[in-house]
Amino acid sequence: KELKKLAREGYWAVSHALRAQVYHHLIQQVACRLVTPDALVYRDVASRLFGKLSVSSHPLPEFLEGCSMPTYCLNLAGVTALKKILICVGNLFPDITYSPILPSLVALLLHYSKDEAQCFENISRLIASNAPHTSYIDQSFLAHQASCMTFGDLANKHCPAAHKLIASTSENVFEVYSEWLSWLFQDLPFNYAIRVFDVYLLEGQKVLYRIALALLKQYRLSVTSTEVERTDIKANLQAFVQNIAEHMTVDKLLERAFGIRLFSRKEIWLLQMANRKALMERGITMSQSRQSFHLAVDMQNFSSSIVTAQEMRIIWSWIPERFSLFSPLLLFSTSEDGCSLQRFYTCCEGYEPTVLLIKTTEGEVCGAFLSSDWSERKKSGATSGFFGTGECFVFTVRPNTERYEWVFIKKPELAKAVPRSCQRSRSPSPMFHLRSSPDERGTSSNHLTVPVPQRKSRLSPFLAIRHFLLPSKTASMFMSGSREGIIIGGGGGQALSLDANLLWGHTEHCETFDNPPLCQENFQVQLLEVWGFQ
């Protein structure tokens, strides 16, 4: 904790020698694979590879194809050392297939290494790190894309104003977010980037997400919608980061970053793993190098009786990145399938997640993103228990467009970590708990749990019910279904409830989403649609 405080406050920024000493000490403490090349190995490999030949006679590793090479004020000898280290990394780590962040990290480390051999040893330890739920350097296109998707998910939740602006002005939101690491280790000026590196060495990748989110928040405060409409938002963001000194000091940037409350490192790791799994389902492999593909959904052929293609694009920008890889598929419509709850269940079961859209007879449009398969309702037996995860949310489309997420997205500090010693009870009532360090002991009998099925195809481990202990049992009532009707959101009220004929509904404030009524409180359904993911 003391080291973190010193790093965040820039304690060793005042002394080059102190920072160099700290870097070497911290990296030597990183848990890594047993056989990790060190300074001696570097000297041996470098003399064998280069001998009397110049570095220019050796091509850079294939994993750097298309990547930029920031040099951070290195002189000619420094740039030569940078290239030699990268070539040796390519030689000794053949499993690396894509790593755009690597040149920047090596360039920064070179400034604080006694020689290139020590720099190589230190970067090798970061590459070979095997600490649980921690990653320093993505080493494949798959891992890099998953990190970009994870940042997109976090931006969606923690920077809604910036996300809304980007979604409304960019054809491909993911393409904008795929530059997030470049903002930190390419576009930020050296005196900012090195302070980011200070905290990154201590706290891992989670801290990078925080700082990039802080940059995104500040960007939204610094630009107007009309400015962005007239420019390329990707280039605009890059220029903003390059000129960050005009907007905030590095101390203020870090202060804002650490003011953003994210979920635990493990929870973010689970999200990253889910994103990797979705990419693999799209055919992205560990071994392939960079590939350009369009993740935005083509809405030209989209047709709904409730929302326009543009409105669906907005809803699609809210859903987790790993699901937005897939095109919308109409599963159920009252206009085609009739007003039958049983038919609703039959059509929707087997699909996870789904988007529910409702149009009332007054012309209002609202709905919900539902993370779990409706067949989960059967696991409660005779009782109608709640299920789902913290990725569920409710929204309005007309007359106003607004999203209401799980209340603990905004206040993750209220969701306590669950001890590993906790045994899951078989209660049908929903509850959240998040596994943490094994030294946390004891549970409250007031905290109930719900069993979650383990299925190979499941892509929703992030914010899963079994991960959290909450102060209130009513703050995680996501979705429930019975023969009498369906309920979305509970605790002090229901965000949405529909009767067995899917003709009449009710909406009010609920504790799970902290939402206002989504339309007129008692409403008649004109049309209802459920969309899945193809």
Side-chain angles (χ1 to χ4, degrees), residues 173-208:
V173 178
F174 181 78
E175 200 178 304
V176 177
Y177 290 144
S178 66
E179 298 295 314
W180 78 281
L181 275 171
S182 298
W183 303 341
L184 304 180
F185 291 123
Q186 182 182 321
D187 301 328
L188 275 180
F190 176 82
N191 58 323
Y192 283 71
I194 202 67
R195 288 286 299 279
V196 172
F197 195 71
D198 288 347
V199 290
Y200 163 69
L201 277 186
L202 266 170
E203 305 185 47
Q205 195 174 42
K206 182 179 174 181
V207 83
L208 301 186

Side-chain angles (χ1 to χ4, degrees), residues 385-452:
F386 280 85
F387 54 97
T389 73
E391 289 192 293
C392 292
F393 60 83
V394 293
F395 56 84
T396 59
V397 178
R398 276 180 244 146
N400 301 310
T401 306
E402 199 59 66
R403 171 182 52 161
Y404 303 96
E405 295 188 281
W406 180 44
V407 66
F408 288 94
I409 296 286
K410 298 285 185 290
K411 300 172 184 174
E413 67 277 7
L414 298 180
K416 294 178 183 175
V418 80
R420 283 204 177 102
S421 59
C422 227
Q423 296 300 312
R424 289 189 294 172
S425 72
R426 307 293 289 183
S427 163
S429 298
M431 197 51 249
F432 250 112
H433 36 148
L434 193 143
R435 270 191 209 112
S436 186
S437 56
D439 56 318
E440 289 179 55
R441 294 284 180 259
T443 60
S444 163
S445 58
N446 293 327
H447 290 109
L448 304 177
T449 61
V450 66
V452 178

Side-chain angles (χ1 to χ4, degrees), residues 305 330-339 347 527-530:
S305 303
L330 185 63
L331 303 178
F332 175 84
S333 164
T334 50
S335 61
E336 292 178 20
D337 300 294
C339 298
C347 292
L527 282 169
L528 183 148
E529 291 177 349
V530 180

Side-chain angles (χ1 to χ4, degrees), residues 215-224 227 240 244 247:
L215 285 169
L216 198 57
K217 279 177 176 277
Q218 186 61 37
Y219 170 73
R220 182 63 191 94
L221 292 172
S222 306
V223 295
T224 62
E227 272 182 87
F240 168 80
I244 188 65
H247 304 278

Side-chain angles (χ1 to χ4, degrees), residues 103-119:
S104 298
L105 300 186
V106 174
L108 290 169
L109 262 179
L110 263 172
H111 280 284
Y112 299 93
S113 302
K114 66 179 182 185
D115 56 24
E116 60 193 62
Q118 187 193 63
C119 181

Side-chain angles (χ1 to χ4, degrees), residues 279-530:
L279 285 165
M280 289 168 84
E281 286 193 1
R282 275 289 301 267
I284 309 299
T285 66
M286 282 291 290
S287 57
Q288 76 181 66
S289 56
R290 185 172 185 166
Q291 171 192 329
S292 60
F293 61 98
H294 198 68
L295 295 186
V297 174
D298 176 18
M299 291 294 180
Q300 285 185 337
N301 300 317
F302 172 78
S303 176
S304 162
S305 303
I306 297 178
V307 293
T308 65
Q310 182 56 32
E311 287 168 338
M312 194 59 159
R313 187 188 289 275
I314 292 166
I315 296 165
W316 226 246
S317 77
W318 288 334
I319 66 176
E321 293 279 358
R322 64 188 182 279
F323 300 121
S324 63
L325 292 175
F326 306 98
S327 301
L329 172 72
L330 185 63
L331 303 178
F332 175 84
S333 164
T334 50
S335 61
E336 292 178 20
D337 300 294
C339 298
S340 160
L341 184 59
Q342 190 50 53
R343 180 79 177 143
F344 169 94
Y345 288 140
T346 303
C347 292
C348 299
E349 283 177 13
Y351 288 90
E352 177 183 286
T354 53
V355 175
L356 172 72
L357 296 175
I358 297 167
K359 183 179 182 181
T360 73
T361 51
E362 299 295 315
E364 296 166 299
V365 174
C366 60
F369 171 79
L370 303 167
S371 64
S372 297
D373 190 329
W374 278 105
S375 63
E376 301 251 337
R377 76 189 191 284
K378 296 172 183 175
K379 293 178 173 59
S380 298
T383 59
S384 54
F386 280 85
F387 54 97
T389 73
E391 289 192 293
C392 292
F393 60 83
V394 293
F395 56 84
T396 59
V397 178
R398 276 180 244 146
N400 301 310
T401 306
E402 199 59 66
R403 171 182 52 161
Y404 303 96
E405 295 188 281
W406 180 44
V407 66
F408 288 94
I409 296 286
K410 298 285 185 290
K411 300 172 184 174
E413 67 277 7
L414 298 180
K416 294 178 183 175
V418 80
R420 283 204 177 102
S421 59
C422 227
Q423 296 300 312
R424 289 189 294 172
S425 72
R426 307 293 289 183
S427 163
S429 298
M431 197 51 249
F432 250 112
H433 36 148
L434 193 143
R435 270 191 209 112
S436 186
S437 56
D439 56 318
E440 289 179 55
R441 294 284 180 259
T443 60
S444 163
S445 58
N446 293 327
H447 290 109
L448 304 177
T449 61
V450 66
V452 178
Q454 300 300 312
R455 292 179 306 188
K456 284 183 181 176
S457 62
R458 191 173 180 82
L459 282 179
S460 300
F462 181 55
L463 304 187
I465 283 181
R466 64 192 179 277
H467 293 172
F468 292 86
L469 283 172
L470 297 184
S472 162
K473 286 182 279 188
T474 56
S476 58
M477 296 179 164
F478 299 112
M479 51 194 290
S480 174
S482 66
R483 282 176 294 186
E484 284 73 48
I486 61 171
I487 296 169
I488 296 153
Q494 295 162 353
L496 269 176
S497 58
L498 292 167
D499 69 1
N501 296 315
L502 304 180
L503 287 173
W504 293 95
H506 181 75
T507 176
E508 59 194 335
H509 170 268
C510 80
E511 290 174 27
T512 298
F513 300 116
D514 192 24
N515 58 285
L518 303 177
C519 57
Q520 191 175 302
E521 288 199 17
N522 293 301
F523 61 87
Q524 187 175 355
V525 177
Q526 181 179 324
L527 282 169
L528 183 148
E529 291 177 349
V530 180

